[in-house]
Amino acid sequence: MKVLLLAGGWSPEREVSLKGGEQIAAALKERGHSVTLCDPAKDFERLMDMAREHDAAFINLHGAPGEDGLVQAILDRVNCPYQGAGPAGSFLALHKAAARQIFRDAGLNIPDGVFLPRHPGPNWKPDLQYPMFVKSNTGGSSLHLSRVTNEEELYTALNSLFSMGEEAIVETAVIGREVTCGVLGEEVAGVSRPAARSRTIPDATQVKASIATRMPRLCFSERPSRYAFSLSLAVDFISIFQILLND
């Protein structure tokens, strides 16, 4: 099979994408596939033509334009198959403020937080408890993520984000145990559980979306799987979901 591997791009997560792309290319070639690298930062204007020449695309882009639905829309235009969510699901999951709204509407628990499309000014005081996490509304890979414990740290984090032209999400920190659930179509691929730690969930991108909820410690199979599937239905999304459990 001729596979068009999309990696790189122009988001702050470019280097993460390229490193992952190297591993994906090696794995595909080991299985007998022909792989062509497409870096949208260099090849974006040729993307449609390149897609027409391949059997399928493998998207390993982080942030825009690979997780905001743009690349997916272009590939759909030329009927080139690819893995993961379509344009709408990709955009809604990448945009944390939109994803929070959709999850809440679906009856799912999320951390307390606020969306800041512009700087709120020097006198703004959030109706949230410290510690809090400040993060880019559409960023991922924990880049530009700050844990703040007081007003001075809060404004330092906000000033940094807005100086880069970002929108911000501020959320309360959640102490719990994170588990990861894969969802493909209507099937949950299983649950994995890393070591317990304290954090809020920084990403709601195409490859990750998150929810904080209270579940009994022994329900690591049934309930997280059910919540992950509910998340995927909420944004019409096929990917990997991370859930933070409150013990």
Side-chain angles (χ1 to χ4, degrees):
M1 179 180 291
K2 295 177 64 177
V3 179
L4 184 66
L5 174 60
L6 290 104
W10 52 77
S11 83
E13 301 168 82
R14 171 179 172 80
E15 296 305 318
V16 176
S17 171
L18 288 172
K19 289 180 181 178
E22 293 176 359
Q23 298 176 344
I24 293 169
L28 289 171
K29 290 176 181 178
E30 183 179 335
R31 288 159 176 76
H33 301 292
S34 172
V35 180
T36 302
L37 174 65
C38 176
D39 182 350
K42 304 174 182 178
D43 305 317
F44 185 75
E45 293 184 346
R46 300 194 300 125
L47 177 55
M48 291 180 72
D49 291 336
M50 295 178 73
R52 288 191 180 100
E53 297 171 354
H54 290 79
D55 300 311
F58 195 113
I59 303 173
N60 192 54
L61 295 165
H62 297 262
E67 292 184 301
D68 62 357
L70 177 59
V71 162
Q72 289 83 352
I74 291 175
L75 295 175
D76 282 348
R77 189 81 174 183
V78 294
N79 297 315
C80 180
Y82 54 88
Q83 94 288 3
S90 298
F91 178 77
L92 292 173
L94 176 68
H95 195 287
K96 296 182 182 69
R100 284 174 54 86
Q101 187 175 168
I102 290 171
F103 296 157
R104 186 186 300 111
D105 187 66
L108 300 169
N109 296 327
I110 59 174
D112 293 332
V114 61
F115 169 50
L116 300 174
R118 60 181 64 87
H119 200 298
N123 298 319
W124 178 71
K125 297 184 184 298
D127 188 20
L128 302 168
Q129 292 185 339
Y130 291 101
M132 297 181 289
F133 280 83
V134 179
K135 48 198 168 185
S136 167
N137 184 49
T138 56
S141 297
S142 297
L143 295 177
H144 313 305
L145 170 71
S146 300
R147 184 180 187 272
V148 300
T149 59
N150 56 55
E151 188 172 304
E152 181 180 357
E153 293 176 352
L154 171 63
Y155 277 94
T156 297
L158 289 176
N159 290 338
S160 176
L161 275 179
F162 286 110
S163 70
M164 295 182 287
E166 299 278 359
E167 302 162 347
I169 288 283
V170 181
E171 289 182 334
T172 55
V174 177
I175 298 174
R177 185 171 301 174
E178 183 182 282
V179 297
T180 298
C181 305
V183 179
L184 180 61
E186 297 184 0
E187 298 293 328
V188 177
V191 179
S192 63
R193 184 184 68 185
R197 55 188 173 182
S198 170
R199 57 173 283 189
T200 187
I201 308 96
D203 304 316
T205 63
Q206 185 193 353
V207 294
K208 288 195 288 187
S210 307
I211 181 172
T213 186
R214 294 187 177 275
M215 302 179 191
R217 181 173 298 181
L218 298 179
C219 294
F220 280 113
S221 178
E222 179 183 357
R223 288 194 180 182
S225 299
R226 192 161 62 237
Y227 265 76
F229 185 57
S230 297
L231 285 165
S232 69
L233 290 178
V235 290
D236 189 21
F237 192 75
I238 302 174
S239 192
I240 297 173
F241 288 82
Q242 290 186 325
I243 299 171
L244 195 65
L245 307 181
N246 283 66
D247 290 329

